[in-house]
Amino acid sequence: AVHIAGTNGKGAVSAIIDSALRAAKIGCVARYTSPHLVKVNERFLIDGALASDGQMLAATKHLEAALANESAELTYFEMLTAIAFTMFAEKGVDYAVLECGLGGRLDATNICEPAVSVITNVGLDHCDWLGDTTEKVAQEKAGIIKRGIPVVLARNCGTVRDVIASRARELDAPF
């Protein structure tokens, strides 16, 4: 997986990485983004094609069966993320480009084990959830950084860079 967080630019970066991986012809590439504009299928692409209604229905039924005896209730975004992961697993994708929905640290996509983490521009967003300073927001976005996994940071102000670099050092993640 390539895991992408940030305030602005996640969608563009996701599309560019997806396109580059497909152009390299190194296997099946999937992309999961949010939000959708017209139809929820827009969130799920496999080799550049939107997921079909049939693929989404099959993944949903699979998850419903798997969760039938569970008491946990998933949020809308958590369920969509589970649908994406299910479709991608069923298709046997080689690379998944995953865009965080909100923040990073507690985002449903953060269960992935990426080959690389990418953090785009960080600014004040969702302050009621992520914090009221860019440093606090950056700490939440830095939550996608995994031990030993490279992290790439887009151009940001010095304080954001310091937060991300510090977290990368803590986790021995090449920065």
Side-chain angles (χ1 to χ4, degrees):
V2 177
H3 198 196
I4 304 163
T7 301
N8 295 305
K10 296 184 304 288
V13 168
S14 296
I16 291 166
I17 292 171
D18 175 31
S19 180
L21 288 169
R22 286 188 291 114
K25 299 185 187 310
I26 54 176
C28 183
V29 180
R31 177 171 26 138
Y32 175 56
T33 62
S34 66
H36 60 277
L37 298 177
V38 177
K39 191 173 180 182
V40 72
N41 305 52
E42 297 168 23
R43 294 174 181 243
F44 316 96
L45 287 94
I46 299 174
D47 277 337
L50 292 181
S52 70
D53 291 344
Q55 287 173 305
M56 291 183 58
L57 182 60
T60 301
K61 287 183 184 257
H62 176 84
L63 287 167
E64 285 175 345
L67 296 171
N69 297 322
E70 299 294 325
S71 61
E73 291 186 26
L74 300 180
T75 66
Y76 179 69
F77 186 76
E78 289 166 340
M79 187 65 176
L80 291 177
T81 302
I83 289 169
F85 286 13
T86 300
M87 284 192 299
F88 298 169
E90 288 175 356
K91 185 68 175 176
V93 303
D94 298 294
Y95 293 91
V97 180
L98 306 171
E99 179 185 332
C100 285
L102 175 89
R105 181 176 63 94
L106 299 177
D107 192 83
T109 60
N110 203 22
I111 65 168
C112 74
E113 295 180 22
V116 63
S117 300
V118 178
I119 300 174
T120 65
N121 174 272
V122 175
L124 293 175
D125 69 302
H126 302 287
C127 295
D128 49 336
W129 295 94
L130 304 179
D132 58 358
T133 67
T134 53
E135 292 82 7
K136 289 177 183 176
V137 174
Q139 288 171 340
E140 291 298 317
K141 308 291 182 184
I144 71 166
I145 300 171
K146 305 287 194 292
R147 182 164 301 283
I149 303 299
V151 59
V152 177
L153 176 66
R155 181 175 290 162
N156 274 276
C157 69
T159 55
V160 167
R161 188 179 197 293
D162 292 346
V163 168
I164 303 300
S166 175
R167 184 68 179 149
R169 274 191 305 277
E170 289 172 22
L171 296 173
D172 296 320
F175 177 67

